[in-house]
Amino acid sequence: MQNHSFKRVLSTFLIFSFIYPAFAITLRLKTSRNIRERSVDNILVADKHLPAGTVLIIPDEFVDKNFKGDKRDEVAILNWLSSSVNIPLLKFDRGSSKVGREFFVPVIEKESGEKGWVSLRSLAKSDKIEVVNEDTPTEVELETVESTPWMDPSTLNSRDEFNNWISQFENLCRGRYENEELEFIYGFSDDTAKIIDNLIGEIHDTSKTAFHNRDDSQRIIENFQKTCAPMSFDTFYNEAKKYAYEERVPLDLLLGIMTQESSGNCGAVNNERNSTKSVGLFQINTGSSTVKSCGFSKENLFKKDCLENPITNLKEGIKILRSKYASVNDDHPPKISTTKKNAIFNDLAPLIQDKWRKAISAYNGGEAHVFQAYRDIAKFNELYEENLNPENWEIRRLFMLRKAIERKSGKIFDRQIAYRKSRNPDLTIHNLAYVEAIVSSDSSDSDDTQGNKWTSFVLKH
């Protein structure tokens, strides 16, 4: 191909410009979603609200180059949608000076034949779409999409440069807010978006610095042996494994909370402002527990009616965690498979993981701030005709940061919305960093969490 012809081809980023006989992936929405179209200014705008049950088709062109599994295998398809960073999707100008960071895939609504763009990755993560197995060829006609304005591909001189351009294009689009449910952030002012980005960065940094008890499991075990003797860690671990299974709590998450609370120190005591104490491995508060604190001593480690007893403290911790889970989720944890008694947090469905994140937040800081964020999300949906999912941790966490955002002169609401429960922004940052230190958020690429450090131990034992 002559150089000038190659440039001419590159000047337009072709997605489809012809009828393409495709064995497509067909999906059914379990929850409502907007389908979007490009305006004349190439801005992505909501076009139609799709109710739950709507069937969408993803053309094969967006599947066969990167998806290596069986296209009839629902688990493989959902895993691919939720985790692949190489899906050849498109980003759109969001009508502001900020770089758009969402990916959208072109779809066809099966019943009406209407074409548009939908972000499916967040739905796959939240278990809100199901695969419809169909082997009938589907003829799909999609438009030619002009190249993005940030770089003119006609300036490129070789296929290697073109491939590099594609890579840069994907990297530019890929950012913290890949979830479609967070796309409303782009309606905020530049100042608010920057404040949000900085606050989330502060949470990540605090989880790594302020919560210094990130010792590996062996160090925690050694600490336990020193402070809880004559009880051995093996005895405690076997009891923890049994009760975690019975109460449907991921074992690595439970041990991560213990690490966060006490670093495995049976004698850990914290004097609270209200004249109560938080005691033992899981820092059980004497003001809320029906079990008394007897004072730390070797003798009291054996007394089952004392919080200093490691197994009693463990049971109280699990009881409180289960109570927080039920309260903030209006639900109970799902059963753990009888064939896999050592439940691992990372094995849970994304929606269940988010429910546990809320429970951990409530364990550390109480339910009120978790509920306040829920009310704020409901108000936001009402005022701006959005459909944000309050069960999504990324969404809930952002609204938990509302007061911190406002303290820095940012705005989520464009009007005054009253708080039922107001919380110190610094305490909110601390609380969210606490959660991040135990189980990373969906947007974090760090495996250096207390829960993850226990995962390998659990898998071996």
Side-chain angles (χ1 to χ4, degrees):
M1 180 185 293
Q2 295 295 321
N3 192 48
H4 65 275
S5 299
F6 186 63
K7 290 181 180 179
R8 198 161 49 242
V9 171
L10 291 174
S11 65
T12 301
F13 190 5
L14 293 177
I15 302 300
F16 291 105
S17 58
F18 52 87
I19 301 295
Y20 189 90
F23 289 89
I25 284 181
T26 307
L27 304 167
R28 181 180 290 109
L29 297 177
K30 293 182 180 180
T31 186
S32 59
R33 177 63 48 180
N34 288 329
I35 191 169
R36 298 174 181 272
E37 65 175 9
R38 292 186 306 118
S39 69
V40 293
D41 298 321
N42 202 39
I43 296 173
L44 194 61
V45 295
D47 177 47
K48 180 180 179 181
H49 191 70
L50 305 176
T54 301
V55 176
L56 301 174
I57 299 168
I58 305 178
D60 196 52
E61 176 72 9
F62 283 81
V63 180
D64 58 359
K65 291 182 180 179
N66 297 295
F67 180 67
K68 304 300 183 184
D70 186 343
K71 294 176 185 176
R72 295 168 297 178
D73 184 343
E74 177 167 287
V75 173
I77 291 171
L78 295 183
N79 284 340
W80 168 73
L81 276 171
S82 64
S83 61
S84 176
V85 297
N86 295 314
I87 302 174
L89 309 186
L90 198 67
K91 73 105 175 175
F92 287 86
D93 181 3
R94 306 200 66 86
S96 73
S97 59
K98 295 180 290 296
V99 176
R101 290 179 287 189
E102 262 76 26
F103 287 104
F104 291 84
V105 65
V107 297
I108 296 90
E109 186 183 357
K110 184 176 181 182
E111 184 175 348
S112 67
E114 183 175 346
K115 297 172 289 185
W117 301 80
V118 175
S119 172
L120 295 172
R121 185 172 300 178
S122 63
L123 296 183
K125 287 181 178 178
S126 301
D127 220 9
K128 293 181 180 176
I129 51 178
E130 61 180 332
V131 175
V132 180
N133 290 321
E134 293 185 351
D135 293 326
T136 305
T138 305
E139 287 199 341
V140 177
E141 181 178 6
L142 289 178
E143 62 189 310
T144 297
V145 182
E146 297 300 320
S147 60
T148 54
W150 65 277
M151 179 184 290
D152 181 3
S154 66
T155 62
L156 306 176
N157 296 308
S158 69
R159 186 161 295 280
D160 286 342
E161 289 186 7
F162 174 71
N163 290 335
N164 183 58
W165 177 77
I166 292 295
S167 177
Q168 291 182 50
F169 175 85
E170 291 178 345
N171 289 334
L172 180 68
C173 298
R174 192 175 300 126
R176 179 167 290 151
Y177 305 112
E178 290 181 338
N179 189 330
E180 184 188 10
E181 290 176 328
L182 286 175
E183 66 181 69
F184 70 98
I185 287 174
Y186 293 98
F188 297 157
S189 69
D190 287 343
D191 288 342
T192 295
K194 185 176 180 179
I195 288 169
I196 292 170
D197 218 33
N198 289 339
L199 286 172
I200 292 177
E202 185 178 344
I203 291 169
H204 295 330
D205 292 342
T206 303
S207 73
K208 295 176 181 178
T209 56
F211 297 120
H212 53 80
N213 52 346
R214 284 174 167 269
D215 299 320
D216 59 30
S217 56
Q218 188 56 42
R219 287 287 301 276
I220 302 301
I221 292 171
E222 291 172 0
N223 205 20
F224 183 97
Q225 304 280 36
K226 291 177 182 177
T227 62
C228 305
M231 180 178 288
S232 69
F233 184 79
D234 285 344
T235 299
F236 172 80
Y237 179 75
N238 287 331
E239 292 295 298
K241 183 163 57 175
K242 179 179 72 173
Y243 289 119
Y245 173 72
E246 290 176 357
E247 299 297 329
R248 308 177 184 183
V249 179
L251 183 55
D252 52 350
L253 182 153
L254 182 65
L255 294 171
I257 291 176
M258 181 194 73
T259 301
Q260 179 61 52
E261 293 291 340
S262 69
S263 292
N265 182 359
C266 278
V269 177
N270 187 41
N271 295 313
E272 307 293 352
R273 295 178 181 177
N274 60 358
S275 299
T276 62
K277 294 182 179 180
S278 295
V279 178
L281 296 173
F282 290 85
Q283 290 292 279
I284 308 304
N285 188 263
T286 56
S288 57
S289 175
T290 57
V291 182
K292 64 182 179 180
S293 171
C294 304
F296 179 68
S297 68
K298 294 297 182 183
E299 182 183 12
N300 290 337
L301 288 174
F302 290 97
K303 295 181 179 178
K304 294 183 179 180
D305 60 345
C306 295
L307 283 175
E308 286 73 18
N309 179 287
I311 305 304
T312 300
N313 203 278
L314 164 72
K315 291 179 179 179
E316 285 294 291
I318 293 175
K319 176 183 174 182
I320 293 170
L321 185 61
R322 272 291 307 262
S323 173
K324 299 297 184 183
Y325 185 103
S327 178
V328 298
N329 294 303
D330 194 24
D331 195 7
H332 295 285
K335 290 183 178 179
I336 296 171
S337 168
T338 55
T339 61
K340 194 169 188 178
K341 290 193 175 184
N342 292 351
I344 302 300
F345 179 80
N346 288 335
D347 286 346
L348 301 175
L351 178 62
I352 304 301
Q353 289 181 346
D354 280 356
K355 289 186 174 185
W356 277 115
R357 289 184 175 101
K358 286 183 284 179
I360 295 170
S361 176
Y363 185 95
N364 171 255
E367 300 104 316
H369 67 295
V370 184
F371 287 131
Q372 176 64 55
Y374 181 92
R375 289 187 285 265
D376 281 348
I377 294 167
K379 189 65 176 178
F380 189 94
N381 286 340
E382 175 190 343
L383 290 176
Y384 305 112
E385 297 183 349
E386 288 284 354
N387 190 35
L388 304 181
N389 178 12
E391 306 309 318
N392 182 304
W393 174 248
E394 298 275 327
I395 297 290
R396 186 73 71 99
R397 182 178 66 167
L398 180 62
F399 279 84
M400 290 164 77
L401 287 168
R402 177 188 158 197
K403 191 167 185 179
I405 293 167
E406 291 175 348
R407 180 174 68 171
K408 296 179 180 292
S409 300
K411 286 185 177 181
I412 289 182
F413 295 98
D414 60 7
R415 65 195 75 180
Q416 184 66 34
I417 303 296
Y419 293 95
R420 290 191 192 177
K421 175 67 177 179
S422 182
R423 196 167 194 221
N424 184 299
D426 293 331
L427 293 179
T428 299
I429 296 293
H430 183 278
N431 176 262
L432 295 175
Y434 175 97
V435 179
E436 186 77 21
I438 296 171
V439 286
S440 64
S441 70
D442 194 50
S443 63
S444 172
D445 59 2
S446 172
D447 291 329
D448 186 30
T449 63
Q450 290 153 3
N452 277 340
K453 287 189 174 183
W454 280 105
T455 299
S456 58
F457 181 89
V458 171
L459 291 174
K460 292 176 182 177
H461 298 80

